[in-house]
Amino acid sequence: FLGTHLWGCFIAGMSFACIDKHQWPHHVWVKQTKRATTWMIRIFFSATVAFSIPVSSLLSIDAFLKGSVMGIGPCILTKVLCAPFMGDAKFVIGWAMVGRAEFAYLIAQSAAAADMMDRETFSIVIWALLYATIFAPFIFRKVLDRYVKRHFNNENGPQDELKDADH
């Protein structure tokens, strides 16, 4: 009668928020829920997006070729090449944007479920998103490592062009 379950969650969170022993409640929460959260995300993905992928049209040559063109062009190149005025960080910024394809799977699945696209188009979109999902983390890591090695040194911190201009 006095409230909802959300009110109880709020009160519980507020009572643990006052404990300041090296963020102990947060540490325990993350440690205890990490495995369950990881598996729930996997189950959520497979129950929503993965089960809706039409395997027969996904494995067709036509879907693969069109998906490859869409994946390399609009999904990757447009993001990598969109920041030419960002200086040396342009490829770091571009490849960081490529890795944002996870939510696009859910959007594509929702569009397919609402009959906004047919099975063949959905298969092409899935192939395109697979390119971004697979290549982005590996290439982003290499580009970021190269950028960090070039612009940071261990002794003095960031190397700034303005520091050199002042001397």
Side-chain angles (χ1 to χ4, degrees):
F1 293 148
L2 296 176
T4 67
H5 60 283
L6 296 176
W7 182 247
C9 291
F10 175 75
I11 296 297
M14 289 302 293
S15 63
F16 281 114
C18 297
I19 300 173
D20 190 33
K21 189 175 182 180
H22 305 294
Q23 296 183 339
W24 181 77
H26 174 72
H27 175 71
V28 170
W29 175 261
V30 170
K31 187 175 181 180
Q32 296 297 323
T33 62
K34 187 173 185 175
R35 287 184 187 154
T37 303
T38 302
W39 277 103
M40 291 306 291
I41 289 172
R42 290 175 184 164
I43 291 169
F44 172 75
F45 177 77
S46 64
T48 57
V49 177
F51 287 153
S52 67
I53 296 174
V55 178
S56 60
S57 61
L58 181 72
L59 297 178
S60 71
I61 297 295
D62 187 51
F64 175 73
L65 292 176
K66 290 178 181 177
S68 298
V69 170
M70 293 294 291
I72 294 169
C75 281
I76 294 178
L77 284 180
T78 55
K79 296 172 185 171
V80 171
L81 301 176
C82 75
F85 302 109
M86 296 304 295
D88 289 338
K90 62 185 169 196
F91 292 118
V92 175
I93 294 168
W95 278 103
M97 289 190 293
V98 171
R100 302 288 153 220
E102 299 89 4
F103 190 63
Y105 287 107
L106 187 60
I107 294 171
Q109 188 270 334
S110 298
D115 290 330
M116 296 173 72
M117 69 173 74
D118 59 358
R119 297 169 64 91
E120 290 76 24
T121 305
F122 183 62
S123 298
I124 292 168
V125 170
I126 294 299
W127 274 114
L129 294 174
L130 279 172
Y131 277 97
T133 304
I134 292 171
F135 289 124
F138 299 112
I139 297 176
F140 176 69
R141 180 181 295 155
K142 289 194 179 290
V143 170
L144 184 62
D145 285 344
R146 187 175 351 140
Y147 178 80
V148 168
K149 286 177 185 174
R150 187 179 303 153
H151 292 285
F152 292 88
N153 61 23
N154 294 336
E155 299 167 3
N156 299 328
Q159 294 178 356
D160 192 359
E161 290 82 15
L162 295 177
K163 288 181 186 176
D164 297 335
D166 291 339
H167 296 292

